[in-house]
Amino acid sequence: MSDDEGLPMCKRAMKRLLLWLCLVLSLAPGIPAGAAAPPGRYTVNANGTVLDGRTGLTWQQAVDANLYTHAGAVSYCTGLVFAGGGWRLPKVSELLTLVDPTTFRPAIDATAFPSTPGEVFWCSSQYVSTSSDAWHVNFSYGDSNGGDMSESWHVRCVR
C-alpha cells in the first residue's frame, strides 16, 4: 500500500501537485552563488527624477501637492524647469507603464515613487468619444478612463 492510498482523492492530487512543483523549482535555473541579482527596472536619481530602464522615459519622482485641471496640468509640465526642464504631460500609454498590477492604493512601485497617492493623474491624450474629456490613470488600482478636462487631478511629468 502506497502512502497516497489512504488519502482522499483531492488530497492525493494536491500532494502530487506540490511534489511536482518542488521538482520543477529545484530544476529551474537560479542566480549562481556569488552573482549579483539583476538590476531593478527603475533608477532613482539624486536630482529627484526616476529613469525607467524598460521605456527609457525619465519621470518626475515627487508629486506636486496641488491638483490641476487638464489645461493647468499641461501648463505645469511644460513650464517645469526642475532638473533641467524639457518636461511634458505623459500620454496615457506612457503613464500606464508605471502601473504595478501586483499592488494597489497606490498601484505603483512605492520605492521608486514614494508618497504617490492612490488617486487620479492626468494624461495628455484626448478622449476620442468626447472632446471635453482627456485620459487619466487612477493609481488606486491602475485603471484608466476619460474624464472632464475641467476636473482637478494630480500630475506626474515625463521627458
Side-chain angles (χ1 to χ4, degrees), residues 40-54:
R41 173 179 166 185
Y42 299 110
T43 302
V44 178
N45 300 307
N47 65 357
T49 64
V50 178
L51 174 64
D52 184 338
R54 189 177 80 193

Side-chain angles (χ1 to χ4, degrees), residues 23 34 43 53-54 62 67 85 103 124 148 155 157:
L23 175 66
T43 302
R54 189 177 80 193
L67 301 178
T103 187
S124 64
D148 190 298
V155 178
C157 305

